[in-house]
Amino acid sequence: MDPMLAEPSQWQQFVEGFELFRDPLLCALMAGGVLGFLSVYVVLRRMVFVSAAVAQSAGLGVALAFYAGIHLGFEVEPVIGATALALLATMLLMMDPTRLRLTRESLLGMAYALSGGAAILVGDRIAQESHDIQGILFGTAVLVTPEQLRTVAVAGVAVMALHLWWYRGITFASFDRIGALVQGLPVRLLDGVLMVSIGVMVGVCARALGALPVFAFSTLSAIAALMLDLRLPWTFVVATLVGIVSGVGGYMFAYFFDFPVGGSQTVVAALLVGVAMGARALIQLVQRKAS
């Protein structure tokens, strides 16, 4: 058989069509990296379900943006709807729930269930956009538009610049609140910066990639890094790398094995947690034999 007539391999097709895959790969890299960095705060401050509720709210924001354009006659950019609802949910979850005689878990559960249910109801009234709604909620985004990539890039660079600049203050206020107050740090401002950062990144990334992989990047990345029992700065570095590998590796896996992108990115993030668990067990075994 003439080799010139042979079907090109999937790798050849990927290389030849790289311009088509470049934007979603870059978006996954930036979203995974920034959310991976923020995930250390999310997990260590026990805010895992805050991330889930905010991601779900971002999905509702996109659904409402579509609804406004179709039924109310005015256009709202879906990314603005996602970011606005994500920030609103973040602000609500920052409130002290004891004033309402609720526990924080109750407030989180209500926010998650309400936003998820409302997204389904709104999605039912915009059947022509139902595919987009499914993509936002479960992460089936094969392609990322240049506008979505620019939005994620601008938000990611701004968030990372601010967090690297204020790294000591935000970590001090996050993990030793009383000590930070004694030292005179503006703890409420630093808390607000952290929560707004999470809300903005979850909102813009959920619009581009879907709520499911965004939740995975913002929780599983830190869980994998914390398994290695590293010093805090290295935990941030490893969590960032895990987020990047999950985003890019998940997209590649989905392409080569023909799976949905969001589910693949989520499963890769979970597998990296398993790899970290195995590495930790191996290190402990070596240490026991050496002692």
Side-chain angles (χ1 to χ4, degrees), residues 64-76 126:
L64 287 173
F66 283 129
Y67 185 89
I70 294 170
H71 295 292
L72 303 181
F74 60 93
E75 296 293 330
V76 178
I126 47 176

Side-chain angles (χ1 to χ4, degrees), residues 101-176:
R101 297 185 178 182
L102 293 173
T103 64
R104 187 162 297 281
E105 288 74 17
S106 302
L107 193 62
L108 283 170
M110 187 173 66
Y112 180 85
L114 176 62
S115 55
I120 293 172
L121 293 183
V122 175
D124 187 65
R125 291 293 181 267
I126 47 176
Q128 56 270 54
E129 306 289 352
S130 60
H131 179 72
D132 282 330
I133 300 298
Q134 290 295 316
I136 292 158
L137 294 179
F138 302 111
T140 57
V142 177
L143 300 176
V144 171
T145 66
E147 291 76 17
Q148 290 170 354
L149 176 61
R150 275 197 296 274
T151 305
V152 171
V154 169
V157 168
V159 165
M160 284 307 299
L162 186 59
H163 275 262
L164 293 176
W165 184 22
W166 287 5
Y167 172 75
R168 288 179 180 276
I170 294 175
T171 52
F172 195 12
S174 294
F175 306 131
D176 186 2

Side-chain angles (χ1 to χ4, degrees), residues 173-254:
S174 294
F175 306 131
D176 186 2
R177 189 178 183 86
I178 295 176
L181 286 169
V182 170
Q183 293 291 324
L185 288 180
V187 173
R188 289 179 64 86
L189 172 64
L190 295 170
D191 269 351
V193 168
L194 174 61
M195 297 300 287
V196 169
S197 301
I198 293 171
V200 168
M201 283 309 299
V202 167
V204 299
C205 294
R207 172 63 187 114
L209 302 176
L212 181 61
V214 164
F215 176 65
F217 298 156
S218 58
T219 54
L220 297 179
S221 306
I223 293 172
L226 290 167
M227 283 287 168
L228 301 177
D229 199 20
L230 303 168
R231 293 174 65 86
L232 189 59
W234 283 108
T235 301
F236 277 99
V237 172
V238 173
T240 303
L241 292 174
V242 170
I244 290 172
V245 172
S246 302
V248 175
Y251 190 90
M252 300 284 285
F253 178 84

Side-chain angles (χ1 to χ4, degrees), residues 2-24:
D2 187 347
M4 297 296 290
L5 298 177
E7 285 287 327
S9 67
Q10 275 194 298
W11 178 252
Q12 285 176 308
Q13 293 176 15
F14 180 80
V15 172
E16 290 169 0
F18 182 72
E19 190 173 345
L20 185 66
F21 307 119
R22 181 190 58 202
D23 285 0

Side-chain angles (χ1 to χ4, degrees), residues 82-97:
T83 307
L85 264 289
L87 282 173
L88 178 62
T90 304
M91 296 298 112
L92 287 174
L93 295 174
M94 285 178 66
M95 292 172 53
D96 182 4

